[in-house]
């Protein structure tokens, strides 16, 4: 029998508690780094950031674990010479994260060094073989041009480098326009719809689905703008904007 699967939004009342636990751990690491002279800060990114669009996969009625993403941004100019070696820097942050997990008596597993993040799964207390939730910590910095770059590990070659992150300014501008046109809820719905439509497409991760949804809803803002401009040109010279809005209500 074929699995029935789909994505759904995770209510903030559910993911909020997990998010707070994860964020406190990363904040503890940032506090330690700053005390060592490595200027840093942390912040949420992705679906748990400003979007509040955390999703989870449902398979045959059972919910799968969801995750959130947190960045630690490092000021490269404050890195001690020993941590200019990016492998040592990532391992140092991973060790400090594991210390924080232990000191706070958390039940997250030790951070795992993956290609672009440090992953920390949280297992069910009554079944340690199953993951309940996880959070990923990305290590980023800014290059000489002020652009964000992510620490990437090529473990087979034992090579750790900074990789420039694509600029999302155009995406952010479109989202701003969508919010101004009061189409945010439509964007949320379109995002979820897109994720489910492309659920089996491995080339369309969450951010790709998000951009697809943005582009579609953004076209509506252009239609609204054209309509508004046309109406403004058609209004008589003695038009009263206060009276007109009152009638609309």
């Amino acid at each position: 029998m074929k699995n029935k699967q789909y994505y759904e939004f995770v209510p903030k009342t559910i993911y909020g508690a997990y998010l707070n636990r994860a964020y406190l751990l990363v904040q503890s690491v940032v506090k330690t780094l700053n005390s060592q002279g490595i200027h840093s800060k942390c912040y949420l990114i992705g679906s748990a950031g400003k979007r509040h669009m955390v999703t989870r996969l449902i398979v045959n009625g059972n919910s799968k674990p969801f995750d959130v993403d947190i960045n630690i941004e490092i000021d490269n100019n404050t890195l001690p010479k020993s941590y200019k070696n990016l492998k040592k820097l990532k391992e140092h942050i991973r060790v400090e994260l594991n210390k924080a997990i232990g000191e706070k008596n958390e039940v997250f597993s030790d951070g795992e060094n993956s290609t672009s993040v440090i992953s920390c799964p949280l297992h069910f207390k009554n079944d340690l073989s199953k993951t309940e939730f996880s959070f990923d910590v990305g290590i980023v910095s800014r290059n000489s041009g002020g652009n964000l770059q992510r620490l990437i590990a090529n473990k087979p070659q034992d090579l750790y480098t900074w990789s420039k992150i694509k600029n999302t300014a155009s995406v952010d501008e479109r989202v701003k326009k969508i919010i101004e046109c009061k189409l945010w809820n439509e964007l949320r719905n379109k995002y979820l719809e897109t994720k489910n439509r492309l659920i089996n497409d491995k080339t369309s991760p969450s951010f790709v689905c998000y951009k697809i949804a943005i582009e579609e809803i953004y076209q509506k803002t252009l239609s609204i703008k054209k309509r508004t401009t046309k109406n403004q040109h058609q209004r008589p010279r003695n038009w009263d904007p206060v009276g007109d809005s009152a009638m609309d209500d």
Side-chain angles (χ1 to χ4, degrees):
M1 182 177 175
K2 191 175 180 180
N3 285 343
K4 182 181 179 181
Q5 57 182 5
Y6 61 90
Y7 284 104
E8 69 174 14
F9 283 124
V10 183
K12 193 174 181 180
T13 52
I14 293 177
Y15 79 74
Y18 291 100
L19 181 59
N20 288 339
R21 289 166 67 182
Y23 200 71
L24 283 173
L25 292 171
V26 180
Q27 280 185 319
S28 179
V29 174
V30 166
K31 184 177 180 181
T32 298
L33 293 175
N34 282 318
S35 71
Q36 296 170 342
I38 303 172
H39 295 177
S40 58
K41 59 184 178 181
C42 61
Y43 45 85
L44 298 170
I45 61 169
S47 58
K50 295 178 181 179
R51 287 188 257 159
H52 300 298
M53 294 195 292
V54 178
T55 59
R56 62 184 169 193
L57 183 64
I58 306 297
V59 180
N60 294 332
N62 299 312
S63 58
K64 295 298 181 179
F66 58 94
D67 59 76
V68 298
D69 299 290
I70 306 172
N71 270 356
I72 292 180
E73 184 174 332
I74 302 289
D75 181 347
N76 268 336
N77 295 322
T78 65
L79 279 178
K81 188 175 181 179
S82 58
Y83 291 132
K84 296 289 185 180
N85 180 318
L86 298 182
K87 180 179 181 179
K88 287 185 177 180
L89 174 63
K90 188 171 186 180
E91 181 60 15
H92 177 58
I93 291 175
R94 191 184 73 84
V95 168
E96 291 300 333
L97 182 57
N98 291 340
K99 282 183 184 178
I101 290 171
E103 289 169 357
K104 294 186 181 300
N105 295 315
E106 272 287 7
V107 289
F108 286 97
S109 294
D110 282 356
E112 302 166 359
N113 179 11
S114 66
T115 301
S116 59
V117 296
I118 299 171
S119 296
C120 294
L122 174 67
H123 297 285
F124 284 98
K125 289 183 179 180
N126 60 349
D127 188 350
L128 296 180
S129 67
K130 294 183 178 179
T131 303
E132 183 177 2
F133 162 80
S134 66
F135 68 96
D136 294 335
V137 179
I139 302 169
V140 300
S141 68
R142 294 190 181 272
N143 59 24
S144 57
N147 299 308
L148 273 178
Q149 52 190 8
R150 183 180 298 278
L151 203 167
I152 299 295
N154 183 332
K155 290 189 285 185
Q157 295 184 20
D158 197 30
L159 182 64
Y160 289 70
T161 57
W162 291 117
S163 176
K164 185 178 176 182
I165 298 173
K166 288 183 179 179
N167 193 314
T168 61
S170 61
V171 173
D172 295 338
E173 281 300 313
R174 279 170 163 72
V175 171
K176 183 179 177 182
K177 177 60 68 175
I178 287 170
I179 293 173
E180 288 175 357
C181 292
K182 299 180 180 179
L183 295 174
W184 175 250
N185 285 334
E186 284 199 41
L187 174 59
R188 280 174 55 85
N189 294 335
K190 179 56 64 175
Y191 169 65
L192 189 62
E193 177 191 310
T194 305
K195 282 203 72 171
N196 282 315
R197 177 166 53 83
L198 300 175
I199 195 168
N200 295 314
D201 185 349
K202 303 300 182 185
T203 64
S204 299
S206 294
F207 189 64
V208 170
C209 293
Y210 183 53
K211 289 202 295 184
I212 291 172
I214 287 171
E215 192 56 39
E216 185 166 334
I217 303 302
Y218 179 69
Q219 294 306 315
K220 282 195 173 186
T221 70
L222 298 181
S223 297
I224 290 172
K225 185 177 180 182
K226 287 179 182 177
R227 219 164 40 237
T228 303
T229 302
K230 183 179 179 181
N231 290 339
Q232 285 174 342
H233 286 319
Q234 290 176 344
R235 285 165 180 161
R237 291 183 180 179
N238 60 350
W239 170 67
D240 179 2
V242 176
D244 190 75
S245 62
M247 286 190 293
D248 287 344
D249 291 337

